[in-house]
């Protein structure tokens, strides 16, 4: 009988140890899961914080000309208040540009700024047509692009300035497209764009492209002056 009782006691002790081990495992498992989950949450927060910074760092065009394009878009939608607001912002930007980076295009740029100002009183009355505003904006963008490009040329070396030149040439190309009937001008811009794209490559490629880029940009500027 004693032997039987002893065996039963041992069995009960073993069952008790097993039960305790299982309970401990169940308690520690969620803790480990919770801890391992924290890095995932932190990672998600970091990713979210990086995304806005990345988009904000995207390459930007001339802010003044963006406002001018927005003014045309707002007028097409019939939003007079937004048209006036965007046009005023664009005008202010162009005036600041003309004073900060004066070139031989300064007088032409300010002349077209004056023409844009003359359109402001027509907005509340509804007398300003989108075609009239669009043409005035395109001419102002041509003057702005010419001023920008000439300023870069005057600074000396073009090496490493491919992005700036591309921005100015693209603005001129966009304005020419809006004016229409400027196929020869568009061809000059396209040729120059292909060349300035090599200026950021460095080495012999960039050095070889620089003289051609200066000549081609000069041709574009002469064409723009002829239109203005």
């Amino acid at each position: 009988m004693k032997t039987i009782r002893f065996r039963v006691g041992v069995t009960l002790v073993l069952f008790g140890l097993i039960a305790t081990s299982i309970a401990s495992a169940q308690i520690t498992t969620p803790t480990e899961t919770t801890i391992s989950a924290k890095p995932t949450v932190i990672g998600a927060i970091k990713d979210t914080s990086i995304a806005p910074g990345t988009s904000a760092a995207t390459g930007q065009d001339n802010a003044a000309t963006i406002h001018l394009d927005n003014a045309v878009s707002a007028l097409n939608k019939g939003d007079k208040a937004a048209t006036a607001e965007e046009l005023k912002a664009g005008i202010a930007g162009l005036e600041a540009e003309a004073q900060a980076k004066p070139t031989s295009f300064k007088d032409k740029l300010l002349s077209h700024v004056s023409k844009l100002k003359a359109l402001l009183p027509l907005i509340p009355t509804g007398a300003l047509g989108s075609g009239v505003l669009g043409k005035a904006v395109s001419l102002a963008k041509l003057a702005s692009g010419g001023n920008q490009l000439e300023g870069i040329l005057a600074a000396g070396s073009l090496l490493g300035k491919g992005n700036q030149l591309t921005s100015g040439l693209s603005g001129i190309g966009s304005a020419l497209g809006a004016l229409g009937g400027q196929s020869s001008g568009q061809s000059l811009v396209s040729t120059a764009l292909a060349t300035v794209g090599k200026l950021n490559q460095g080495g012999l490629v960039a050095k070889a492209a620089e003289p051609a880029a200066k000549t081609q940009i000069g041709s574009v500027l002469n064409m723009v002056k002829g239109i203005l």
Side-chain angles (χ1 to χ4, degrees):
M1 291 294 292
K2 290 182 179 180
T3 301
I4 294 172
R5 288 177 181 175
F6 175 76
R7 290 179 178 175
V8 170
V10 171
T11 302
L12 291 175
V13 171
L14 290 174
F15 276 122
L17 290 173
I18 293 170
T20 302
S21 299
I22 293 172
S24 298
Q26 290 177 339
I27 291 172
T28 57
T29 300
T31 304
E32 292 175 358
T33 303
T34 304
I35 293 172
S36 64
K38 287 183 179 179
T40 302
V41 174
I42 293 173
I45 292 173
K46 287 183 178 179
D47 291 342
T48 303
S49 64
I50 290 172
T54 303
S55 61
T58 312
Q60 300 174 348
D61 294 323
N62 187 309
T65 59
I66 290 176
H67 283 299
L68 295 180
D69 287 336
N70 288 343
V72 175
S73 177
L75 186 62
N76 287 332
K77 296 176 182 177
D79 190 338
K80 297 177 182 178
T83 301
E85 181 180 351
E86 293 289 347
L87 186 55
K88 288 177 182 177
I91 288 171
L94 292 181
E95 287 179 326
E97 176 190 330
Q99 299 303 328
K101 302 176 182 179
T103 69
S104 65
F105 281 86
K106 178 180 178 179
D107 291 340
K108 293 181 181 296
L109 180 55
L110 291 177
S111 174
H112 285 285
V113 166
S114 296
K115 293 177 181 179
L116 290 175
K117 287 182 177 179
L119 299 179
L120 286 170
L122 302 179
I123 297 174
T125 65
L128 179 60
S130 59
V132 173
L133 178 60
K135 182 176 181 179
V137 162
S138 294
L139 291 171
K141 287 172 65 177
L142 279 180
S144 175
N147 189 68
Q148 179 183 348
L149 290 178
E150 189 167 286
I152 297 172
L153 285 179
S157 175
L158 300 183
L159 299 180
K161 298 179 181 178
N163 292 338
Q164 299 174 52
L165 293 169
T166 296
S167 175
L169 288 167
S170 297
I172 289 175
S174 172
L176 290 174
L179 290 171
Q182 303 292 336
S183 58
S184 59
Q186 291 281 24
S187 178
L188 288 175
V189 170
S190 297
T191 300
L193 280 171
T195 302
V196 301
K198 302 175 183 178
L199 295 174
N200 289 343
Q201 295 183 22
L204 295 177
V205 173
K207 290 182 179 180
E210 185 178 23
K214 289 182 177 180
T215 300
Q216 292 164 7
I217 292 171
S219 297
V220 170
L221 293 179
N222 289 334
M223 176 268 298
V224 170
K225 286 180 179 178
I227 295 174
L228 295 176

